[in-house]
Amino acid sequence: MNVFYEEDGGFKVGAVLADNTTSLQVEAPHGKRSKIKAGTVLLKFEKPALSEFMEQAQHVADELDADFLWECSNQDEFGFADLGLEYFGHAPSTVEAAGLLIKLHGSPMHFYKKGKGHYKAAPEESLKAALASVERKRLQALQQAEYTAQLTGFSCPEALLPQINMLLYRPDKNTIEYKALEQACHDTGLTPPKLLEKCGAIPSSHDYHFNAFLFEHFPKGIEFGEIGEFDIPQDLPESNVSAFSIDDATTTEIDDAFSLIHLPNGNWQVGIHIAAPALGFGPGSRLDEIALERLSTVYMPGNKITMLPDALVNAYTLEATKSCPALSMYLEIESADYSVVSSVTRIERVKIAANLRHDTLEPLFNEDTLARGGPDYPFKKELGILWELANRLEIGRGKQGSNIGTDYSFVVKDDRIAITDRKRGNPIDKVVSELMIYVNSRWAKMLSEKGVAGVFRSQFNGKVRLSTTPGKHIGLGVDQYAWASSPLRRSMDLLNQRQLIALVRGEPAPYASNSEVLLGAVSDFELASEAYNSFQRNMERYWCLRYVLQEGINEASATVLKENLIRLDTLPLVTRVPSMPELPPGTQVQVALSNVELLDLAFGCEFKHRIELQ
């Protein structure tokens, strides 16, 4: 005797070897023996042969129409034998009954299983919905296959174009568009960016990187929308000084400027003037929300995303010929040794006489011209005194000569890149940095001594951190330090400026030491700063690689940093050279450059030879 039984959600047949009433020992057509429960047996048969039964039953099932079977059944639960009698017009043979069971079991949209050999026809509305779903999936499968075919033929389907950013940066793996792209990548052996680029869907490698950043950090776009109102105070006292700023040629958010006058006692008064946008809007305003959302200006070669809207920046930037609201610190400097005698902080308006720019100032104000006297130029005397003061301040911090190395400037014009190097610690940089370090550390001390909360920057054991508690900054050599000199570009400076203004005015500070605004801003800023700096580094690497292609650079000299890691001598490009032998750090080598990949920000680098220094 043979049996047709159900096991593991499917049907099987076997020859009965032993019948133990509640269980059976059976042997499958391929010889495997197993023990089954008697309750799983649906049919018993002698013919046809065991080896032929399932094939014949499947043939019967294939001939049956699920829709017609559904129409033949009523809405009540039924046994398969009853439906077989009605459908076939006679008591079904075991093959017919098995075929009917296979069909019922394989049509879950039409029939719901209710028990051993029992089913119930699906309600009409449920069946229509299920069939519609199947049809939809069928059409989607056809559409997906069509998309895949187009992509593997290096043509981008029109329907994918509005979804390119989603597919590249945050794909929904359940969509047919992603599945089609994934299959096409598998078939072509290309990554999604490479394939979409080849399909013409990524016309700009620059925009690929830029849009990835926007997609992650500016999903609503970089436009400000409604910014609300802000004030421009007109009742501030006018300073009697004439100030000048020193910035890169592309700087529009001019935060700081300097002034110098000779005092009757023979000493010098040095003014450090910081733009004061905190006077224009307060905590909780729409502009404040914007500043705490963006947290800082985002920089990249040839472009930037400002923290604050142009209207506010234009009102408070220290622009030449304007009288600008400022938070000023005045230092009285001993004329003999440039030591600081005293300092005072004021809220005022300051006349800005000039905006000096690095590219035009540096040829005139540098170490050579300072040593030789050099030609005459605007603010020569003032810059010379500020240079002496900067040297005195650097020595006072115990950091003389610590700021060495090379900085690079990137200028993008008409989609071409110019990269120039500048010696770090030159007179321009030293004057600006030393005066900024001084004013930030002094204002941090003011906040700390008066018990006014602030956002402080400290460094200990090599770790730099922001907190609402002041601490030593070992790297700068100061007892406390707070960012306060770039309120147009950093939210931390803006928050500190509000606290300082309140302190100078003798008013309650806007933020307490346990302020959720301060604590939240510190946490958010650190995350944003890491992301913004990473993006800036990536875009600088991108433009370095564009420069390599633009200038047709095939070989370059480089310096070994460690192991097989090198840095090119003329570009801020760092890479590993697997083919390079083990050489000590600082060794000069010649390398060959090849296979620049702008989407991956990668390039090939092969060791040529060691450069022997003369």
Side-chain angles (χ1 to χ4, degrees):
M1 183 180 65
N2 302 318
V3 291
F4 176 83
Y5 63 97
E6 185 175 358
E7 184 178 77
D8 296 332
F11 297 113
K12 297 179 181 181
V13 292
V16 177
L17 301 177
D19 187 344
N20 300 314
T21 307
T22 59
S23 65
L24 303 173
Q25 291 285 339
V26 297
E27 183 178 68
H30 50 72
K32 180 183 178 182
R33 296 185 178 187
S34 57
K35 181 180 179 180
I36 65 171
K37 293 180 179 181
T40 64
V41 175
L42 295 162
L43 297 167
K44 297 179 180 181
F45 64 95
E46 296 290 345
K47 293 182 180 181
L50 188 67
S51 60
E52 300 173 359
F53 188 88
M54 288 300 292
E55 182 180 351
Q56 293 182 23
Q58 186 63 55
H59 178 73
V60 171
D62 293 341
E63 293 293 318
L64 296 174
D65 184 280
D67 291 329
F68 185 66
L69 283 175
W70 182 84
E71 292 177 1
C72 291
S73 61
N74 56 43
Q75 293 300 308
D76 298 325
E77 184 179 321
F78 61 86
F80 73 95
D82 297 330
L83 180 61
L85 178 62
E86 183 175 347
Y87 180 83
F88 293 110
H90 58 79
S93 68
T94 52
V95 169
E96 289 174 331
L100 179 59
L101 273 167
I102 292 172
K103 191 67 177 182
L104 292 171
H105 193 74
S107 306
M109 291 183 298
H110 292 77
F111 302 100
Y112 302 153
K113 193 171 187 300
K114 291 297 182 180
K116 178 184 176 182
H118 283 70
Y119 294 86
K120 189 178 189 313
E124 184 176 359
E125 291 302 316
S126 298
L127 178 60
K128 286 181 178 179
L131 291 174
S133 175
V134 169
E135 178 63 11
R136 184 169 60 252
K137 289 178 180 178
R138 185 185 70 83
L139 293 176
Q140 287 177 341
L142 291 175
Q143 186 68 77
Q144 180 180 321
E146 182 180 339
Y147 289 161
T148 299
Q150 291 183 57
L151 289 166
T152 53
F154 304 121
S155 173
C156 185
E158 195 74 21
L160 265 64
L161 292 176
Q163 302 185 53
I164 292 300
N165 283 350
M166 180 274 290
L167 291 170
L168 286 171
Y169 310 131
R170 194 177 296 163
D172 181 349
K173 296 185 178 181
N174 293 318
T175 63
I176 63 170
E177 291 82 4
Y178 173 80
K179 292 176 181 177
L181 177 61
E182 184 180 42
Q183 184 61 50
C185 288
H186 177 271
D187 294 343
T188 60
L190 298 174
T191 62
K194 293 286 184 65
L195 177 56
L196 290 173
E197 181 187 42
K198 198 163 185 179
C199 291
I202 305 178
S204 166
S205 54
H206 173 276
D207 291 350
Y208 165 73
H209 296 291
F210 184 57
N211 290 337
F213 175 75
L214 296 186
F215 195 84
E216 178 69 21
H217 299 283
F218 291 84
K220 296 179 182 178
I222 59 176
E223 299 301 322
F224 287 96
E226 179 60 42
I227 66 171
E229 298 180 353
F230 60 88
D231 297 325
I232 307 175
Q234 303 299 321
D235 57 347
L236 300 176
E238 289 281 349
S239 172
N240 65 340
V241 303
S242 183
F244 59 93
S245 66
I246 306 173
D247 290 283
D248 183 85
T250 60
T251 300
T252 55
E253 304 152 286
I254 304 175
D255 287 297
D256 52 84
F258 312 104
S259 65
L260 189 75
I261 60 174
H262 202 201
L263 297 173
N265 64 1
N267 289 341
W268 295 99
Q269 175 187 278
V270 173
I272 306 172
H273 311 284
I274 306 300
L279 295 170
F281 59 96
S285 64
R286 176 58 190 144
L287 280 167
D288 186 53
E289 291 175 356
I290 289 172
L292 293 177
E293 286 170 2
R294 298 204 172 193
L295 295 162
S296 80
T297 292
V298 183
Y299 294 97
M300 71 205 85
N303 198 5
K304 64 181 176 182
I305 304 171
T306 60
M307 180 181 77
L308 294 169
D310 287 346
L312 188 282
V313 170
N314 292 338
Y316 280 91
T317 187
L318 304 182
E319 184 180 348
T321 73
K322 290 171 57 178
S323 180
C324 304
L327 184 64
S328 301
M329 177 178 284
Y330 288 100
L331 312 178
E332 181 178 346
I333 305 300
E334 173 64 50
S335 59
D337 62 1
Y338 300 96
S339 59
V340 178
V341 176
S342 63
S343 65
V344 63
T345 297
R346 298 173 186 155
I347 304 167
E348 59 185 4
R349 298 186 73 88
V350 177
K351 179 65 179 294
I352 307 300
N355 297 137
L356 306 182
R357 302 295 184 174
H358 289 174
D359 55 342
T360 55
L361 179 60
E362 191 164 3
L364 303 170
F365 177 54
N366 54 59
E367 290 180 339
D368 290 339
T369 58
L370 284 167
R372 295 184 289 102
D376 288 333
Y377 53 89
F379 302 101
K380 178 180 179 179
K381 181 177 181 179
E382 290 87 343
L383 286 167
I385 293 173
L386 293 180
W387 165 247
E388 296 293 345
L389 172 60
N391 285 319
R392 173 62 187 256
L393 294 175
E394 183 183 51
I395 293 171
R397 295 189 298 114
K399 300 294 177 179
Q400 187 175 17
S402 61
N403 191 21
I404 58 175
T406 303
D407 286 328
Y408 291 86
S409 297
F410 296 76
V411 177
V412 180
K413 186 176 182 180
D414 299 328
D415 207 35
R416 289 183 63 83
I417 179 71
I419 303 175
T420 56
D421 61 332
R422 298 177 65 248
K423 182 181 178 183
R424 192 181 303 150
N426 61 58
I428 289 178
D429 291 346
K430 184 177 288 190
V431 164
V432 174
S433 64
E434 288 300 328
L435 292 179
M436 292 304 102
I437 291 170
Y438 187 85
V439 75
N440 283 327
S441 61
R442 289 295 302 176
W443 277 339
K445 185 176 182 180
M446 282 176 56
L447 293 174
S448 179
E449 288 180 343
K450 298 297 182 179
V452 177
V455 179
F456 299 92
R457 187 172 171 86
S458 60
Q459 184 193 44
F460 189 72
N461 289 336
K463 294 182 179 180
V464 179
R465 60 189 293 265
L466 291 177
S467 73
T468 56
T469 304
K472 286 183 177 293
H473 197 300
I474 303 301
L476 294 178
V478 295
D479 290 332
Q480 57 275 310
Y481 189 75
W483 273 334
S485 57
S486 296
L488 291 172
R489 294 181 273 186
R490 277 194 307 246
S491 58
M492 302 299 98
D493 303 57
L494 179 65
L495 296 173
N496 283 332
Q497 187 176 83
R498 285 201 183 115
Q499 301 292 84
L500 288 164
I501 288 173
L503 179 59
V504 172
R505 286 176 167 173
E507 299 172 350
Y511 309 110
S513 57
N514 61 348
S515 165
E516 291 185 4
V517 173
L518 287 187
L519 295 172
V522 167
S523 176
D524 292 343
F525 182 86
E526 289 181 325
L527 293 174
S529 180
E530 182 179 350
Y532 294 0
N533 290 338
S534 175
F535 171 64
Q536 182 177 0
R537 289 192 298 269
N538 281 343
M539 294 311 295
E540 289 180 353
R541 185 176 180 86
Y542 170 83
W543 282 110
C544 284
L545 294 178
R546 282 284 298 268
Y547 186 81
V548 169
L549 293 175
Q550 172 185 296
E551 302 299 318
I553 301 173
N554 298 316
E555 286 196 14
S557 61
T559 301
V560 177
L561 299 179
K562 62 177 181 179
E563 300 173 348
N564 62 356
L565 189 69
I566 65 162
R567 179 175 55 234
L568 301 191
D569 290 336
T570 57
L571 291 173
L573 265 180
V574 174
T575 189
R576 293 196 177 276
V577 187
S579 61
M580 189 175 69
E582 185 174 343
L583 295 170
T587 302
Q588 298 291 112
V589 296
Q590 190 76 4
V591 294
L593 310 182
S594 63
N595 300 325
V596 172
E597 295 284 356
L598 294 176
L599 292 181
D600 296 334
L601 298 181
F603 63 102
C605 191
E606 182 182 357
F607 174 75
K608 299 295 289 185
H609 58 82
R610 178 174 181 169
I611 298 175
E612 300 297 340
L613 300 180
Q614 301 298 322

